[in-house]
């Protein structure tokens, strides 16, 4: 009897904590949406410093293979009108090939996102530029919008604890390992107030009560972005995003490209156990039936159609610590998708086959971040969780292939 009472108390405590998290997230999201609505007065190309982390970012010089604002791309439905032959249509083929993979012609249209070359160049600049101003503009107070001496900007994540900075950084490099280029470039920096990069903002750092010597993350600041509503096939009352979905045949190329990026997003969030995006919306449906019809947390769209996965601090470290609370929602979201990018599926298969995700991630992290040893890495326990989730994802992809591939 005493054991049953203890279990009941633990369950009630978990529910209470979940409710507090939801209320806090809802208030923060509402504030950010309010700020977005009042940001229209900024001059073209200049973002308002009052914008939140979910709106105050600008995509700079990221070259796409094709521009989604091109009317020829945005309006076609598996065929385009050829202008030189009196309007004869050009057949592009189905949206899905080999059972469960997005077609090659869609891959060719997908914007390149933040390429590794671009991200590397940005990191080099971000580590050497002096910070001349810190101000609100990147969400909660523990994050700040930094202005560099050359006028460029970055979101600084100090974090309520080191887990958040670590989760943001490791999620970024895991995405890089998977070939997912939707995350803004990231670099680590150490607060050294005696000189160098942070000297000009010493007074502001003291006001924020940031510790001298702490490691923070810098992510490229973006603006001119809009919110993203969960597409209909991925909502809980839908049958999911799968190759047999007749609705795919009626989508424009731009809509299909967005769905392709969603499939990558769901893979990344499942692997990192990031509950602060689609999963939190799914959880909130129990008291907010229309939550899926509003903007998704920590997800934005550029004017040309790129999805940008921002604020990934809940991934990996913290996400793994609270995994038992959120796992059923992660599994539900993953089970709703059975169409994948071929490249992403191949990377997952490699990590599964070699069973060395910890080593591969650590190698990339150390090669890219001089401060990696100081910030730290996944514990052995969490590294094992990551590999287990990679194996589960690979099994899910194989199940989809058996289910939807032709005999």
């Amino acid at each position: 009897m005493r054991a049953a009472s203890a279990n009941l108390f633990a369950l009630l405590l978990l529910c209470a904590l979940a409710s507090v998290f939801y209320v806090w997230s809802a208030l923060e999201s509402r504030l950010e949406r309010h700020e977005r609505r009042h940001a229209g007065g900024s001059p073209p190309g200049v973002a308002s410093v009052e914008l939140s982390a979910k709106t105050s970012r600008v995509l700079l010089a990221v070259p796409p293979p094709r521009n989604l604002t091109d009317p020829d791309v945005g309006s076609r439905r598996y065929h385009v009108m050829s202008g030189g032959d009196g309007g004869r249509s050009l057949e592009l083929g189905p949206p899905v090939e080999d059972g469960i993979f997005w077609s090659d012609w869609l891959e060719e249209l997908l914007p390149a996102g933040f390429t590794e070359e671009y991200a590397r160049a940005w990191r080099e600049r971000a580590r050497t530029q002096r910070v001349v101003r810190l101000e609100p503009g990147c969400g909660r107070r523990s994050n700040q919008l930094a202005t560099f001496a050359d006028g460029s900007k970055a979101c600084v994540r100090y974090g309520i604890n080191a887990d958040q900075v670590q989760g943001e950084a490791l999620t970024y490099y895991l995405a890089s390992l998977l070939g997912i280029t939707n995350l803004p470039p990231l670099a680590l920096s150490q607060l050294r107030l005696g000189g160098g990069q942070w000297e000009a903002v010493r007074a502001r750092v003291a006001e924020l009560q940031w510790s001298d010597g702490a490691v923070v993350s810098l992510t490229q600041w973006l603006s001119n972005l809009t919110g993203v509503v969960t597409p209909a096939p991925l909502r809980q009352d839908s049958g999911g995003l799968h190759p047999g979905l007749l609705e795919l045949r009626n989508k424009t190329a731009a809509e299909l490209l967005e769905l392709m990026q969603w499939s990558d997003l769901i893979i990344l969030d499942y692997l990192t156990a990031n509950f602060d995006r689609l999963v939190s919306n799914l959880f909130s449906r129990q008291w907010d039936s229309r939550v899926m019809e509003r903007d998704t947390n920590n997800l934005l769209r550029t004017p040309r159609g790129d999805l940008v996965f921002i604020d990934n601090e809940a991934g990996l470290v913290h996400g793994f610590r609270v995994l038992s609370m959120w796992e059923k929602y992660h599994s539900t979201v993953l089970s709703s998708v059975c169409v994948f990018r071929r490249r992403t599926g191949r990377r997952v298969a490699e990590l599964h086959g070699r069973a060395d995700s910890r080593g591969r991630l650590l190698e990339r992290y150390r090669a890219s971040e001089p401060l990696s040893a100081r910030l730290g890495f996944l514990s052995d326990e969490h590294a094992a969780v990551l590999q287990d989730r990679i194996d589960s994802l690979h099994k899910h992809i194989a199940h989809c292939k058996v289910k939807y591939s032709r005999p």
Side-chain angles (χ1 to χ4, degrees):
M1 184 67 180
R2 183 173 301 170
S5 299
N7 289 336
L8 178 60
F9 175 76
L11 179 61
L12 291 173
L13 180 59
L14 278 175
C15 291
L17 289 172
S19 299
V20 169
F21 168 80
Y22 170 73
V23 171
W24 176 258
S25 298
L27 288 173
E28 189 174 51
S29 297
R30 187 173 300 173
L31 174 60
E32 288 163 348
R33 285 195 294 270
H34 173 79
E35 290 173 336
R36 184 186 301 134
R37 285 195 298 269
H38 290 80
S42 300
V46 180
S48 167
V49 297
E50 297 299 324
L51 295 177
S52 71
K54 295 186 175 72
T55 56
S56 55
R57 296 170 161 81
V58 64
L59 199 59
L60 302 176
V62 186
R66 303 283 183 89
N67 191 334
L68 289 184
T69 59
D70 185 323
D72 191 36
V73 175
S75 61
R76 63 179 136 193
R77 298 169 183 256
Y78 310 125
H79 64 279
V80 291
M81 302 306 293
S82 178
D85 56 8
R88 188 180 65 179
S89 64
L90 174 65
E91 185 64 34
L92 292 177
V96 179
E97 298 173 348
D98 297 335
I100 61 167
F101 297 111
W102 294 109
S103 296
D104 289 343
W105 68 266
L106 276 171
E107 289 281 358
E108 292 176 2
L109 292 176
L110 187 68
F114 301 95
T115 65
E116 179 53 38
E117 294 75 17
Y118 176 82
R120 188 183 302 115
W122 186 88
R123 284 196 295 269
E124 291 175 359
R125 292 196 306 271
R127 289 179 181 135
T128 56
Q129 285 286 324
R130 289 188 307 110
V131 178
V132 297
R133 188 176 183 182
L134 287 174
E135 58 193 323
C138 292
R140 61 175 60 93
R141 189 175 184 271
S142 59
N143 303 334
Q144 291 284 292
L145 177 62
T147 301
F148 294 119
D150 67 353
S152 63
K153 298 174 186 290
C155 280
V156 185
R157 186 176 307 282
Y158 178 80
I160 298 173
N161 54 55
D163 286 1
Q164 293 178 315
V165 179
Q166 201 177 70
E168 180 88 9
L170 294 180
T171 295
Y172 175 80
Y173 287 107
L174 178 62
S176 173
L177 199 60
L178 292 167
I180 297 173
T181 60
N182 298 77
L183 286 69
L186 174 144
L188 297 179
S189 177
Q190 189 170 14
L191 296 173
R192 295 189 181 278
L193 306 183
Q197 185 173 31
W198 299 92
E199 184 176 14
V201 291
R202 291 179 61 181
R204 177 61 176 162
V205 168
E207 180 184 342
L208 293 166
Q209 298 183 336
W210 288 0
S211 299
D212 190 9
V215 176
V216 298
S217 66
L218 306 172
T219 54
Q220 185 179 5
W221 182 80
L222 307 173
S223 69
N224 300 331
L225 305 187
T226 56
V228 182
V229 176
T230 304
L234 295 173
R235 297 180 191 176
Q236 192 179 27
D237 52 359
S238 172
L241 178 58
H242 57 81
L245 191 64
L246 294 178
E247 184 182 338
L248 292 181
R249 291 271 178 184
N250 297 319
K251 296 288 187 185
T252 65
E255 290 170 332
L256 289 171
L257 293 176
E258 181 170 318
L259 287 174
M260 182 188 294
Q261 294 174 83
W262 270 94
S263 66
D264 268 355
L265 173 65
I266 287 172
I267 280 179
L268 182 64
D269 280 358
Y270 176 79
L271 291 180
T272 61
N274 187 343
F275 54 85
D276 197 17
R277 200 148 23 220
L278 185 57
V279 163
S280 63
N281 279 2
L282 185 61
F283 172 78
S284 303
R285 285 188 84 247
Q286 56 192 308
W287 51 72
D288 184 358
S289 62
R290 304 191 64 181
V291 66
M292 297 294 236
E293 300 172 23
R294 290 189 282 275
D295 292 350
T296 303
N297 289 340
N298 301 326
L299 181 65
L300 294 167
R301 183 193 293 110
T302 71
R304 70 179 184 201
D306 307 65
L307 296 187
V308 185
F309 310 166
I310 65 169
D311 296 352
N312 300 287
E313 62 186 12
L316 290 171
V317 187
H318 186 53
F320 286 176
R321 285 198 175 133
V322 297
L323 185 56
S324 60
M325 177 179 172
W326 297 98
E327 180 65 333
K328 69 176 182 178
Y329 300 103
H330 289 301
S331 298
T332 297
V333 171
L334 179 62
S335 66
S336 70
V337 177
C338 260
V339 188
F340 310 95
R341 293 186 66 190
R342 194 184 302 273
R343 181 179 68 177
T344 309
R346 189 181 299 120
R347 299 281 179 95
V348 171
E350 291 172 358
L351 292 173
H352 163 74
R354 296 179 180 179
D356 66 345
S357 59
R358 181 189 189 280
R360 296 280 300 282
L361 179 58
L362 181 59
E363 179 182 8
R364 181 161 298 215
Y365 178 48
R366 284 177 172 172
S368 305
E369 290 296 347
L371 292 170
S372 58
R374 186 170 183 85
L375 181 61
F377 188 64
L378 296 176
S379 66
D380 290 343
E381 177 186 359
H382 287 170
V385 172
L386 174 59
Q387 186 63 52
D388 181 67
R389 296 182 80 74
I390 288 170
D391 297 342
S392 296
L393 174 58
H394 180 264
K395 182 178 179 180
H396 172 68
I397 294 174
H399 169 75
C400 290
K401 193 167 183 63
V402 169
K403 183 176 181 179
Y404 289 105
S405 293
R406 294 177 180 177

